[in-house]
Amino acid sequence: MNTTELPKNQHGALARCSYQSPLGPMTLAARGGNVCGIWFDGQKHQPDLSLWPIDDAHPVLLRARAQLERYFAGQSKSFDLPLDLQSGTPFQQSVWAALLAVPAEKTLSYGQLASTIGKPAAVRAVGAAVGRNPVSIVVPCHRIVGSNGALTGYAGGIARKAALLKLESV
């Protein structure tokens, strides 16, 4: 579906809402009954969602907000949300699926993640896919670090990456 097409029914095809996180304002997006985006406002690779209707009562967005609230309050380190990750290429989708398997309180290097998906030589491509993750925090791209453990490359900013890892006690 083209992002300029508007839904024909309530809680239908496209919806977005704002969420004020402790790390700054965020935009949450849904396609149908699935979360398809969570971005810190202004982060790299955030699409223009201005034509997507605002729906503060969308059920899956309400559920995402509640789970983010628990996460930021330190009450939960995991999420249970239906996701729509179709916006990526098959390679990106494989990287994002691998990210979902990285548990809280653990980090992997970009090289380790590349090996996880069976593409050990594709470290740069894996890094690019991680950077284009459309569902920040829930798909935990912040848990991927440089080979020496350095905090590198987070579309929402390195300070936020450090704060998220601290929140998770990494």
Side-chain angles (χ1 to χ4, degrees):
M1 172 176 271
N2 183 319
T3 58
T4 59
E5 293 178 34
L6 298 179
K8 293 181 169 65
N9 54 31
Q10 186 177 16
H11 309 309
L14 307 173
R16 67 181 163 106
C17 72
S18 295
Y19 170 68
Q20 184 60 47
S21 84
L23 299 179
M26 301 181 82
T27 297
L28 286 57
R31 182 177 292 115
N34 301 301
V35 174
C36 64
I38 298 178
W39 301 273
F40 287 101
D41 287 356
Q43 83 175 46
K44 292 178 188 174
H45 312 298
Q46 180 182 11
D48 178 6
L49 301 176
S50 61
L51 295 177
W52 287 39
I54 296 170
D55 186 350
D56 291 322
H58 191 287
V60 79
L61 296 179
L62 288 172
R63 193 168 150 198
R65 275 188 192 157
Q67 290 187 29
L68 285 166
E69 288 288 335
R70 286 194 296 279
Y71 173 83
F72 282 115
Q75 299 168 346
S76 177
K77 294 179 184 174
S78 63
F79 296 88
D80 180 24
L81 295 167
L83 300 176
D84 175 348
L85 299 174
Q86 297 177 60
S87 65
T89 66
F91 178 79
Q92 289 171 326
Q93 290 177 37
S94 72
V95 171
W96 301 337
L99 288 172
L100 287 167
V102 180
E105 300 181 7
K106 183 170 179 163
T107 60
L108 290 180
S109 71
Y110 290 93
Q112 289 171 314
L113 186 62
S115 292
T116 297
I117 65 164
K119 306 274 187 190
V123 176
R124 287 182 188 238
V126 164
V130 168
R132 292 198 175 266
N133 168 26
V135 187
S136 297
I137 303 172
V138 174
V139 178
C141 55
H142 59 280
R143 297 180 189 152
I144 308 305
V145 298
S147 59
N148 62 357
L151 302 185
T152 60
Y154 186 64
I158 296 297
R160 286 186 179 127
K161 182 173 191 166
L164 293 170
L165 291 173
K166 183 177 180 183
L167 180 65
E168 295 180 1
S169 302
V170 176

